[in-house]
Amino acid sequence: MAGAGPGDPELLTLKTLRWLRQADVVIVDRLVSREALQEYTREDVLIVPVGKQCSDTASTPQSAINDLLLQYASQGKLVVRLKGGDVSIFSNVLDELKTLTEHQIDYEIVPGVTAALGAAAYAGIPLTARGYSTAVRMLTHYKSTLLDESYLRDLARTDDTLVFYMSSGNLDQLVEKLLQHGIAADKWIAVIEQATTPQQNVHHYPIHTYLENAAGSSYASPTLIIIGKVAALHASFGWLPNSNSREHYFTPLSVAGADLYNNKKSPIC
Ligand code: SAH
């Protein structure tokens, strides 16, 4: 189990790199850099794309991913299960770990740079800058029933930095809720598309002006949202210019496949 980092292939750890170089099989999520897969794997590696890969709607059921892990491991192959960002943040790693332990298959867990850390660094936002925030929370609001009113009230009032994964589809509603619950006017919001990739774009507003400036926006996937006083620091410390591109960095493997995987077999798409 290894994290690939948020996009920039150079954010892969040396340990993940070492495992990738040895792997017979790499079972890979969509949010993993194609460049990293191409550069850092063996010529004869078998790359198995899973998750929302083959099209935007088709996604591999978790049970099928578990079966793939078992199938290749029981053939004695060295399998790297490569996940975007860190292996444990908003992922189904627990299911996969249970499958491996039930079948007594040895594994190692290699962490990765999670999107919150990659996006914060590449947008120039120190997540717990002294004098701004003493904590950071990793959250998701991908459906509105996930966070109840009392928790949303707490989010509006805390000075912790809030980082939302998988939440750009519900962003207007989230901001509305935070405003209703009295979020302070010195809080900012940074919406970071395709962080750490050549297509990175940061959209940046005082939270009280977000809805008048950006309600109804649709963002390129993947998108991470940072809310808090620290988000204002992007204006002074952002160092990477916006690409202003709407191109997608994480293309499904079925699209990228033919050219990228000349010698690398990909059995699913
Ligand atoms: N395990 C991953 C997160 C998986 S959930 C990690 O640790 O980063 C997928 C969500 O992560 C996306 O919807 C998005 O909110 C966020 N994400 C992942 N990569 C990203 C990137 N390069 N830029 C912005 N957000 C990203």
Side-chain angles (χ1 to χ4, degrees), residues 101-185:
T101 50
E102 271 163 25
H103 293 82
Q104 286 151 22
I105 293 168
D106 292 338
Y107 59 84
E108 198 174 287
I109 303 177
V110 183
V113 175
T114 190
L117 305 186
Y122 281 51
I125 299 175
L127 289 172
T128 59
R130 188 146 41 92
Y132 287 77
S133 158
T134 54
V136 57
R137 302 194 201 182
M138 293 184 194
L139 303 147
T140 183
H141 190 250
Y142 68 86
K143 57 179 183 198
S144 52
T145 47
L146 279 183
L147 306 176
D148 67 21
E149 287 301 318
S150 73
Y151 193 70
L152 285 162
R153 190 176 322 116
D154 176 44
L155 293 182
R157 293 182 183 174
T158 183
D159 277 334
D160 295 352
T161 301
L162 311 179
V163 181
F164 283 92
Y165 289 70
M166 297 179 285
S167 304
S168 60
N170 272 330
L171 184 52
D172 291 356
Q173 197 197 26
L174 173 65
V175 171
E176 257 170 43
K177 283 284 172 195
L178 295 174
L179 294 174
Q180 274 169 23
H181 287 298
I183 192 167

Coordinates of all heavy atoms in Angstrom, one line a residue, residues 101-185:
T101 N -5.2 -9.2 5.6 CA -4.9 -9.9 6.8 C -5.7 -11.2 6.9 O -5.2 -12.2 7.4 CB -5.2 -9.0 8.1 OG1 -6.5 -8.5 7.9 CG2 -4.2 -7.9 8.3
E102 N -7.0 -11.1 6.4 CA -7.8 -12.4 6.4 C -7.1 -13.5 5.6 O -7.2 -14.6 5.9 CB -9.1 -12.1 5.7 CG -10.2 -11.6 6.7 CD -11.4 -11.0 6.0 OE1 -11.6 -11.3 4.8 OE2 -12.0 -10.1 6.6
H103 N -6.4 -13.1 4.6 CA -5.7 -14.1 3.7 C -4.2 -14.2 4.0 O -3.5 -14.8 3.3 CB -5.9 -13.8 2.3 CG -7.4 -14.0 1.9 ND1 -8.3 -13.0 2.1 CD2 -8.0 -15.0 1.4 CE1 -9.5 -13.4 1.7 NE2 -9.4 -14.7 1.2
Q104 N -3.8 -13.7 5.2 CA -2.4 -13.8 5.6 C -1.4 -13.4 4.5 O -0.4 -14.1 4.3 CB -2.1 -15.2 6.1 CG -2.8 -15.4 7.5 CD -3.2 -16.8 7.8 OE1 -2.6 -17.7 7.2 NE2 -4.1 -17.0 8.6
I105 N -1.7 -12.3 3.9 CA -0.8 -11.8 2.9 C 0.0 -10.6 3.6 O -0.6 -9.7 4.1 CB -1.5 -11.3 1.7 CG1 -2.2 -12.5 1.0 CG2 -0.7 -10.5 0.7 CD1 -3.2 -12.2 -0.1
D106 N 1.3 -10.7 3.5 CA 2.2 -9.6 4.1 C 2.0 -8.3 3.3 O 1.9 -8.3 2.1 CB 3.7 -10.0 4.0 CG 3.9 -11.2 4.9 OD1 3.1 -11.5 5.9 OD2 4.9 -11.9 4.7
Y107 N 2.1 -7.3 4.1 CA 2.1 -5.9 3.4 C 2.9 -4.9 4.2 O 3.3 -5.1 5.3 CB 0.6 -5.5 3.2 CG -0.1 -5.3 4.6 CD1 0.1 -4.2 5.3 CD2 -0.9 -6.4 5.1 CE1 -0.6 -4.1 6.6 CE2 -1.5 -6.2 6.3 CZ -1.3 -5.1 7.0 OH -1.9 -5.0 8.3
E108 N 3.1 -3.8 3.5 CA 3.8 -2.7 4.1 C 2.9 -1.4 3.8 O 2.4 -1.4 2.7 CB 5.2 -2.5 3.6 CG 6.1 -1.7 4.4 CD 7.6 -1.7 3.8 OE1 8.3 -2.8 3.9 OE2 8.0 -0.7 3.2
I109 N 2.8 -0.5 4.7 CA 2.1 0.8 4.3 C 3.1 1.9 4.2 O 3.8 2.2 5.2 CB 1.0 1.1 5.4 CG1 0.1 -0.1 5.6 CG2 0.3 2.4 5.0 CD1 -1.0 0.1 6.7
V110 N 3.1 2.5 3.0 CA 4.1 3.6 2.8 C 3.2 4.9 2.7 O 2.4 5.0 1.8 CB 4.9 3.4 1.5 CG1 5.9 4.5 1.3 CG2 5.5 2.0 1.5
P111 N 3.4 5.9 3.5 CA 2.6 7.1 3.5 C 2.9 7.9 2.2 O 3.9 7.7 1.5 CB 3.0 7.9 4.7 CG 4.4 7.4 5.0 CD 4.5 6.0 4.6
G112 N 2.1 8.9 2.0 CA 2.3 9.8 0.8 C 1.9 11.2 1.3 O 1.3 11.4 2.3
V113 N 2.3 12.2 0.4 CA 1.9 13.6 0.7 C 0.5 13.7 0.4 O 0.1 13.6 -0.8 CB 2.8 14.5 -0.2 CG1 2.3 16.0 0.0 CG2 4.3 14.4 0.1
T114 N -0.4 14.0 1.4 CA -1.8 14.1 1.1 C -2.1 15.4 0.4 O -1.3 16.4 0.5 CB -2.6 13.9 2.4 OG1 -4.0 13.9 2.1 CG2 -2.4 15.1 3.4
A115 N -3.2 15.5 -0.3 CA -3.6 16.7 -1.1 C -3.6 17.9 -0.2 O -3.1 19.0 -0.7 CB -5.0 16.5 -1.7
A116 N -4.0 17.9 1.0 CA -4.0 19.1 1.9 C -2.6 19.7 2.0 O -2.4 20.9 1.9 CB -4.5 18.7 3.3
L117 N -1.6 18.8 2.1 CA -0.3 19.3 2.3 C 0.3 19.8 1.0 O 1.0 20.8 0.9 CB 0.6 18.3 3.0 CG 0.0 17.7 4.3 CD1 1.0 16.8 5.0 CD2 -0.3 18.8 5.3
G118 N 0.1 19.0 0.0 CA 0.6 19.4 -1.4 C 0.0 20.7 -1.8 O 0.7 21.7 -2.2
A119 N -1.4 20.8 -1.7 CA -2.1 22.0 -2.2 C -1.6 23.2 -1.3 O -1.4 24.3 -1.9 CB -3.6 21.8 -2.1
A120 N -1.5 23.1 0.0 CA -1.2 24.2 0.8 C 0.2 24.7 0.5 O 0.5 25.9 0.3 CB -1.2 23.8 2.3
A121 N 1.2 23.8 0.3 CA 2.5 24.2 -0.1 C 2.6 24.9 -1.4 O 3.2 26.0 -1.6 CB 3.5 23.0 -0.1
Y122 N 1.9 24.3 -2.4 CA 2.0 24.9 -3.8 C 1.1 26.1 -4.0 O 1.2 26.8 -5.0 CB 1.6 23.8 -4.8 CG 2.8 22.8 -5.1 CD1 3.4 22.2 -4.1 CD2 3.2 22.6 -6.4 CE1 4.5 21.3 -4.3 CE2 4.2 21.7 -6.7 CZ 4.9 21.1 -5.6 OH 5.9 20.2 -5.9
A123 N 0.3 26.4 -2.9 CA -0.5 27.7 -3.0 C 0.0 28.7 -2.0 O -0.5 29.8 -1.9 CB -2.0 27.4 -2.7
G124 N 1.1 28.4 -1.3 CA 1.7 29.3 -0.4 C 0.8 29.6 0.8 O 0.7 30.7 1.2
I125 N 0.2 28.5 1.4 CA -0.7 28.7 2.5 C -0.2 27.9 3.7 O -0.4 26.7 3.7 CB -2.1 28.3 2.2 CG1 -2.7 29.1 1.0 CG2 -3.1 28.4 3.4 CD1 -4.1 28.7 0.5
P126 N 0.5 28.5 4.7 CA 1.0 27.7 5.8 C -0.2 27.4 6.7 O -0.9 28.2 7.2 CB 1.9 28.7 6.6 CG 2.0 29.9 5.7 CD 0.9 29.9 4.7
L127 N -0.5 26.1 6.8 CA -1.8 25.7 7.4 C -2.0 26.0 8.8 O -3.2 26.3 9.3 CB -2.0 24.1 7.2 CG -2.2 23.7 5.7 CD1 -2.2 22.2 5.6 CD2 -3.5 24.2 5.2
T128 N -0.9 26.1 9.6 CA -1.1 26.4 11.0 C -0.1 27.6 11.3 O 0.6 27.6 12.3 CB -0.8 25.3 12.0 OG1 0.5 24.8 11.7 CG2 -1.8 24.1 11.8
A129 N -0.1 28.6 10.5 CA 0.8 29.8 10.7 C 0.6 30.4 12.1 O -0.6 30.5 12.5 CB 0.5 30.8 9.6
R130 N 1.7 30.6 12.7 CA 1.6 31.2 14.1 C 0.8 32.5 14.1 O 1.0 33.3 13.2 CB 3.0 31.4 14.7 CG 3.0 31.9 16.1 CD 4.3 31.3 16.8 NE 5.5 31.4 16.0 CZ 6.3 32.4 16.0 NH1 6.1 33.4 16.8 NH2 7.4 32.4 15.2
G131 N -0.1 32.7 15.0 CA -0.9 33.9 15.1 C -2.2 33.8 14.2 O -3.0 34.6 14.3
Y132 N -2.3 32.7 13.4 CA -3.5 32.6 12.5 C -4.3 31.4 13.0 O -5.6 31.4 13.0 CB -3.0 32.3 11.1 CG -2.5 33.6 10.4 CD1 -1.2 34.1 10.7 CD2 -3.3 34.3 9.5 CE1 -0.7 35.2 10.1 CE2 -2.8 35.4 8.9 CZ -1.5 35.9 9.2 OH -1.1 37.0 8.5
S133 N -3.7 30.3 13.3 CA -4.4 29.0 13.5 C -3.6 28.1 14.3 O -2.4 28.0 14.0 CB -4.8 28.4 12.2 OG -5.1 27.1 12.3
T134 N -4.2 27.3 15.2 CA -3.4 26.4 16.0 C -3.7 24.9 15.6 O -3.2 24.0 16.3 CB -3.6 26.6 17.5 OG1 -5.0 26.5 17.7 CG2 -3.0 27.9 18.0
A135 N -4.6 24.7 14.7 CA -4.9 23.3 14.3 C -5.5 23.3 12.9 O -5.8 24.4 12.3 CB -6.0 22.8 15.2
V136 N -5.4 22.1 12.3 CA -6.0 22.0 11.0 C -6.9 20.7 11.0 O -6.6 19.7 11.6 CB -4.8 21.9 9.9 CG1 -3.9 20.8 10.2 CG2 -5.4 21.7 8.5
R137 N -8.0 20.8 10.3 CA -9.0 19.7 10.2 C -9.1 19.3 8.8 O -9.3 20.1 7.9 CB -10.3 20.1 10.7 CG -10.4 20.7 12.1 CD -11.8 20.7 12.6 NE -11.9 21.7 13.7 CZ -13.0 21.9 14.4 NH1 -14.1 21.2 14.0 NH2 -13.1 22.8 15.4
M138 N -9.1 18.0 8.6 CA -9.3 17.4 7.2 C -10.8 16.9 7.2 O -11.1 16.0 8.0 CB -8.4 16.3 6.9 CG -6.9 16.7 6.8 SD -5.9 15.4 6.4 CE -4.3 16.1 6.7
L139 N -11.5 17.4 6.3 CA -13.0 17.2 6.3 C -13.5 16.8 4.9 O -12.8 17.1 3.9 CB -13.7 18.5 6.7 CG -13.3 19.1 8.1 CD1 -13.4 20.6 8.0 CD2 -14.2 18.5 9.2
T140 N -14.7 16.3 4.8 CA -15.4 16.3 3.5 C -16.8 16.6 3.7 O -17.4 16.4 4.7 CB -15.2 14.9 2.9 OG1 -15.8 14.9 1.6 CG2 -15.9 13.8 3.7
H141 N -17.4 17.2 2.6 CA -18.8 17.6 2.6 C -19.3 17.2 1.3 O -20.0 17.9 0.6 CB -18.9 19.1 2.8 CG -20.3 19.6 3.1 ND1 -21.0 20.4 2.2 CD2 -21.1 19.5 4.2 CE1 -22.2 20.7 2.7 NE2 -22.3 20.1 3.9
Y142 N -19.0 16.0 0.8 CA -19.4 15.6 -0.5 C -20.9 15.4 -0.6 O -21.5 15.4 -1.7 CB -18.6 14.4 -1.0 CG -18.9 13.1 -0.3 CD1 -19.9 12.2 -0.7 CD2 -18.1 12.7 0.7 CE1 -20.2 11.1 -0.1 CE2 -18.3 11.5 1.4 CZ -19.4 10.7 1.0 OH -19.6 9.5 1.6
K143 N -21.5 15.1 0.5 CA -23.0 15.2 0.5 C -23.4 16.0 1.7 O -22.8 15.9 2.8 CB -23.7 13.9 0.3 CG -23.4 12.9 1.4 CD -24.1 11.6 1.1 CE -23.8 10.6 2.3 NZ -24.1 9.3 2.0
S144 N -24.6 16.7 1.6 CA -24.9 17.7 2.6 C -25.3 17.1 3.9 O -25.3 17.7 4.9 CB -26.0 18.6 2.1 OG -27.1 17.8 1.6
T145 N -25.6 15.8 3.9 CA -26.1 15.2 5.2 C -24.9 14.7 6.1 O -25.1 14.3 7.2 CB -26.9 13.9 4.9 OG1 -26.3 13.1 3.9 CG2 -28.3 14.3 4.4
L146 N -23.7 14.9 5.5 CA -22.5 14.4 6.3 C -22.3 15.2 7.6 O -21.8 14.6 8.6 CB -21.3 14.5 5.4 CG -21.0 13.3 4.4 CD1 -19.7 13.5 3.8 CD2 -21.1 12.0 5.1
L147 N -22.5 16.5 7.5 CA -22.1 17.3 8.7 C -23.4 17.9 9.2 O -24.2 18.6 8.5 CB -21.2 18.5 8.2 CG -19.9 18.0 7.5 CD1 -19.1 19.2 7.0 CD2 -19.0 17.1 8.4
D148 N -23.7 17.7 10.5 CA -25.0 18.2 11.0 C -24.8 19.7 11.4 O -23.7 20.2 11.4 CB -25.6 17.3 12.1 CG -24.7 17.3 13.3 OD1 -23.9 18.3 13.5 OD2 -24.8 16.4 14.1
E149 N -26.0 20.3 11.7 CA -26.0 21.8 12.0 C -25.0 22.1 13.1 O -24.4 23.1 13.0 CB -27.4 22.2 12.3 CG -28.3 22.3 11.1 CD -27.9 23.2 10.0 OE1 -27.4 24.3 10.3 OE2 -28.0 22.7 8.8
S150 N -25.0 21.3 14.2 CA -24.2 21.8 15.3 C -22.7 21.7 14.9 O -21.9 22.5 15.4 CB -24.5 21.0 16.6 OG -24.0 19.7 16.5
Y151 N -22.4 20.7 14.1 CA -20.9 20.6 13.7 C -20.6 21.8 12.7 O -19.5 22.4 12.8 CB -20.7 19.2 13.0 CG -19.2 19.0 12.9 CD1 -18.4 18.8 14.0 CD2 -18.6 19.0 11.6 CE1 -17.0 18.6 13.9 CE2 -17.2 18.9 11.5 CZ -16.4 18.6 12.6 OH -15.1 18.4 12.5
L152 N -21.6 22.1 11.9 CA -21.3 23.2 10.9 C -21.2 24.5 11.7 O -20.3 25.4 11.4 CB -22.5 23.4 9.9 CG -22.5 22.3 8.8 CD1 -23.8 22.2 8.1 CD2 -21.4 22.6 7.8
R153 N -21.9 24.7 12.8 CA -21.8 25.9 13.7 C -20.4 25.9 14.3 O -19.8 26.9 14.3 CB -22.9 25.8 14.8 CG -23.0 27.1 15.5 CD -24.1 27.2 16.6 NE -25.3 26.5 16.1 CZ -25.8 25.4 16.7 NH1 -25.3 24.8 17.7 NH2 -26.9 24.8 16.2
D154 N -20.0 24.8 14.7 CA -18.6 24.7 15.3 C -17.6 25.1 14.2 O -16.6 25.8 14.5 CB -18.4 23.3 15.8 CG -17.0 23.1 16.3 OD1 -16.5 23.9 17.1 OD2 -16.4 22.0 16.0
L155 N -17.8 24.6 13.0 CA -16.8 24.9 11.9 C -16.8 26.4 11.6 O -15.8 27.0 11.3 CB -17.1 24.1 10.6 CG -17.0 22.6 10.7 CD1 -17.3 22.0 9.3 CD2 -15.5 22.2 11.1
A156 N -18.0 27.0 11.7 CA -18.0 28.5 11.4 C -17.3 29.3 12.5 O -16.8 30.3 12.3 CB -19.5 28.9 11.3
R157 N -17.3 28.7 13.7 CA -16.8 29.5 14.9 C -15.3 29.2 15.2 O -14.7 30.1 15.8 CB -17.6 29.2 16.1 CG -19.0 29.8 15.9 CD -19.9 29.7 17.0 NE -21.3 30.2 16.6 CZ -22.3 30.1 17.3 NH1 -22.3 29.6 18.5 NH2 -23.5 30.6 16.9
T158 N -14.8 28.1 14.8 CA -13.5 27.7 15.2 C -12.4 28.5 14.4 O -12.7 29.0 13.3 CB -13.2 26.2 14.9 OG1 -11.9 25.9 15.3 CG2 -13.3 25.9 13.4
D159 N -11.3 28.7 15.0 CA -10.2 29.3 14.2 C -9.3 28.2 13.6 O -8.2 28.6 13.0 CB -9.3 30.2 15.1 CG -10.0 31.6 15.2 OD1 -10.7 32.0 14.3 OD2 -9.8 32.3 16.2
D160 N -9.6 27.0 13.8 CA -8.9 25.9 13.1 C -8.9 26.1 11.6 O -10.0 26.6 11.1 CB -9.4 24.5 13.4 CG -9.3 24.1 14.9 OD1 -8.7 24.9 15.6 OD2 -9.9 23.1 15.2
T161 N -7.9 25.8 10.9 CA -7.9 25.8 9.4 C -8.7 24.6 9.0 O -8.5 23.5 9.4 CB -6.5 25.7 8.9 OG1 -5.8 26.8 9.4 CG2 -6.5 25.7 7.3
L162 N -9.7 24.8 8.0 CA -10.5 23.7 7.5 C -10.1 23.4 6.1 O -10.0 24.2 5.2 CB -12.0 24.2 7.5 CG -12.5 24.9 8.8 CD1 -13.9 25.3 8.6 CD2 -12.4 23.9 10.0
V163 N -9.8 22.1 5.9 CA -9.5 21.6 4.6 C -10.5 20.6 4.1 O -10.8 19.6 4.8 CB -8.1 20.9 4.6 CG1 -7.7 20.5 3.2 CG2 -7.0 21.9 5.1
F164 N -11.2 20.9 3.0 CA -12.3 20.0 2.5 C -11.8 19.3 1.3 O -11.4 19.9 0.3 CB -13.5 20.9 2.2 CG -14.3 21.3 3.4 CD1 -14.0 22.5 4.0 CD2 -15.3 20.4 4.0 CE1 -14.7 22.9 5.2 CE2 -16.0 20.8 5.1 CZ -15.7 22.0 5.7
Y165 N -11.9 17.9 1.4 CA -11.7 17.1 0.3 C -13.0 16.7 -0.4 O -14.1 16.7 0.3 CB -11.1 15.7 0.7 CG -9.7 15.8 1.2 CD1 -9.3 16.4 2.4 CD2 -8.7 15.1 0.5 CE1 -8.0 16.4 2.8 CE2 -7.3 15.1 0.9 CZ -7.0 15.8 2.1 OH -5.7 15.7 2.5
M166 N -13.0 16.5 -1.7 CA -14.2 15.9 -2.4 C -15.5 16.8 -2.2 O -16.6 16.3 -2.1 CB -14.6 14.5 -1.9 CG -13.5 13.5 -2.2 SD -13.9 11.9 -1.6 CE -13.7 12.0 0.1
S167 N -15.3 18.1 -2.1 CA -16.4 18.9 -1.7 C -16.8 20.1 -2.6 O -17.6 20.9 -2.3 CB -16.2 19.5 -0.3 OG -15.9 18.5 0.6
S168 N -16.1 20.1 -3.8 CA -16.4 21.3 -4.7 C -17.8 21.3 -5.2 O -18.4 22.3 -5.5 CB -15.4 21.4 -5.8 OG -15.4 20.2 -6.6
G169 N -18.4 20.1 -5.4 CA -19.8 20.0 -5.9 C -20.8 20.6 -4.9 O -21.9 21.1 -5.4
N170 N -20.5 20.7 -3.7 CA -21.4 21.2 -2.6 C -20.9 22.5 -2.0 O -21.3 22.9 -0.9 CB -21.6 20.2 -1.5 CG -22.6 19.2 -1.8 OD1 -23.6 19.5 -2.4 ND2 -22.5 18.0 -1.3
L171 N -20.0 23.2 -2.7 CA -19.3 24.3 -2.1 C -20.2 25.5 -1.8 O -20.2 26.0 -0.7 CB -18.1 24.7 -3.0 CG -17.3 25.8 -2.4 CD1 -16.8 25.5 -0.9 CD2 -16.1 26.1 -3.2
D172 N -21.1 25.8 -2.7 CA -22.0 27.0 -2.4 C -22.8 26.7 -1.2 O -22.9 27.6 -0.3 CB -23.0 27.2 -3.6 CG -22.3 27.7 -4.9 OD1 -21.1 27.9 -4.8 OD2 -23.0 27.8 -5.9
Q173 N -23.3 25.5 -1.0 CA -24.2 25.2 0.1 C -23.3 25.2 1.4 O -23.8 25.7 2.4 CB -24.7 23.8 -0.1 CG -25.8 23.4 0.7 CD -26.0 21.9 0.6 OE1 -25.0 21.2 0.4 NE2 -27.2 21.4 0.8
L174 N -22.1 24.7 1.3 CA -21.2 24.8 2.5 C -20.9 26.2 2.9 O -21.0 26.5 4.1 CB -19.9 24.0 2.2 CG -18.8 24.1 3.2 CD1 -19.2 23.4 4.5 CD2 -17.5 23.5 2.7
V175 N -20.6 27.1 2.0 CA -20.3 28.5 2.3 C -21.5 29.1 2.9 O -21.5 29.8 3.9 CB -19.8 29.2 1.1 CG1 -19.7 30.7 1.3 CG2 -18.4 28.6 0.6
E176 N -22.7 28.9 2.3 CA -24.0 29.4 2.8 C -24.1 29.1 4.3 O -24.5 29.9 5.1 CB -25.2 28.9 2.1 CG -25.7 29.8 1.0 CD -26.8 29.1 0.2 OE1 -27.6 28.3 0.7 OE2 -26.7 29.3 -1.1
K177 N -23.9 27.8 4.6 CA -24.1 27.3 6.0 C -23.1 28.0 6.9 O -23.5 28.4 8.0 CB -23.8 25.8 6.0 CG -24.9 25.0 5.5 CD -26.0 25.0 6.6 CE -27.3 24.3 6.0 NZ -28.5 24.5 6.8
L178 N -21.8 28.2 6.5 CA -20.8 28.8 7.3 C -21.2 30.3 7.6 O -21.1 30.8 8.7 CB -19.4 28.7 6.7 CG -18.9 27.2 6.6 CD1 -17.6 27.2 5.9 CD2 -18.7 26.6 8.0
L179 N -21.8 30.9 6.5 CA -22.2 32.3 6.7 C -23.4 32.4 7.6 O -23.4 33.2 8.5 CB -22.5 32.9 5.3 CG -21.4 33.1 4.3 CD1 -21.9 33.5 2.9 CD2 -20.3 34.0 4.8
Q180 N -24.3 31.5 7.4 CA -25.5 31.5 8.3 C -25.1 31.3 9.8 O -25.7 31.9 10.7 CB -26.4 30.3 8.0 CG -27.4 30.5 6.9 CD -28.1 29.2 6.5 OE1 -28.1 28.2 7.3 NE2 -28.6 29.2 5.3
H181 N -24.0 30.5 10.0 CA -23.6 30.3 11.4 C -22.6 31.3 11.8 O -21.9 31.1 12.8 CB -23.0 28.9 11.5 CG -24.1 27.8 11.5 ND1 -25.1 27.7 12.4 CD2 -24.3 26.8 10.6 CE1 -25.9 26.7 12.1 NE2 -25.5 26.1 11.0
G182 N -22.4 32.4 11.1 CA -21.6 33.5 11.5 C -20.1 33.5 11.4 O -19.4 34.0 12.2
I183 N -19.6 32.8 10.3 CA -18.2 32.8 10.1 C -17.6 34.2 10.0 O -18.3 35.1 9.4 CB -17.8 31.9 8.9 CG1 -16.3 31.6 8.9 CG2 -18.3 32.5 7.6 CD1 -15.9 30.5 7.9
A184 N -16.5 34.4 10.6 CA -15.9 35.8 10.7 C -15.4 36.3 9.4 O -15.0 35.6 8.5 CB -14.8 35.8 11.7
A185 N -15.5 37.6 9.3 CA -15.2 38.3 8.0 C -13.7 38.2 7.6 O -13.3 38.5 6.5 CB -15.6 39.7 8.0

